[in-house]
Amino acid sequence: MKINIVFINASQNRSGTTSRMGQNYLNGRKYQQINLVDYKIYQINQSYSDDQFDEVFTKLQQADWIILGTPAYWHYMSGYLKTFIERIGQSKDFNTLADKKISVFIQGTDPTDAIKPVTDVIARFASVANMNFVDIQEQFIN
């Protein structure tokens, strides 16, 4: 069975450490990488004609497994990922993600203080969205 994997790179760097870690983890698997830095995704309640949230969200709806990669910025996930998760939660089509797998990994010079809070948020998000949280973070430590 072919699994459609979407890797969300939530770093400001398209081909930086977060991207390389995702590529290493997914080595040998076919996947689509989405760099959030390439899209205009505005905050909740901001409405602009050039907003690209729906374009990215449609790709998630077509995926079987969504892997989120984020650098640790100020001991938490990147602003790109935080905004994106908030927008998904406010989407009228939120329930279309049910039964999909979702994972997250956090990287940085010393991301240990960010791993638990970010993983907890994504695991809770998965629970609310009726998604299946797959913990892959341990594979990225050390």
Side-chain angles (χ1 to χ4, degrees):
M1 181 172 117
K2 184 178 173 182
I3 297 176
N4 183 9
I5 301 170
V6 172
F7 166 49
I8 301 288
N9 175 16
S11 172
Q12 65 181 334
N13 300 308
R14 291 169 188 84
S15 56
T17 304
T18 304
S19 177
R20 287 192 303 273
M21 288 179 71
Q23 291 168 4
N24 288 339
Y25 178 74
L26 291 164
N27 186 26
R29 296 181 176 120
K30 185 177 178 185
Y31 67 96
Q32 177 182 11
Q33 180 169 324
I34 297 172
N35 301 307
L36 290 180
V37 71
D38 293 334
Y39 295 89
K40 291 183 179 179
I41 299 175
Y42 295 104
Q43 301 289 322
I44 293 172
N45 278 343
Q46 290 185 321
S47 181
Y48 298 100
S49 61
D50 61 345
D51 187 277
Q52 295 175 295
F53 170 78
D54 289 337
E55 182 179 339
V56 177
F57 187 69
T58 296
K59 294 175 184 180
L60 298 188
Q61 291 172 306
Q62 297 165 354
D64 300 309
W65 187 11
I66 301 161
I67 298 176
L68 309 169
T70 183
Y73 291 147
W74 289 98
H75 314 284
Y76 201 57
M77 70 179 80
S78 72
Y80 292 115
L81 184 56
K82 179 85 167 66
T83 296
F84 189 59
I85 293 296
E86 288 174 346
R87 288 288 302 275
I88 292 170
Q90 296 294 313
S91 171
K92 63 180 174 40
D93 296 321
F94 180 60
N95 63 341
T96 61
L97 300 179
D99 298 323
K100 297 181 184 301
K101 293 194 303 186
I102 189 168
S103 301
V104 64
F105 68 88
I106 302 95
Q107 67 80 20
T109 304
D110 182 10
T112 52
D113 62 340
I115 292 172
K116 183 171 178 13
V118 173
T119 301
D120 287 351
V121 165
I122 301 303
R124 177 68 180 137
F125 173 83
S127 175
V128 170
N130 295 311
M131 298 175 78
N132 302 307
F133 179 73
V134 177
D135 190 354
I136 62 170
Q137 180 63 39
E138 293 177 5
Q139 298 176 38
F140 288 99
I141 300 174
N142 299 327

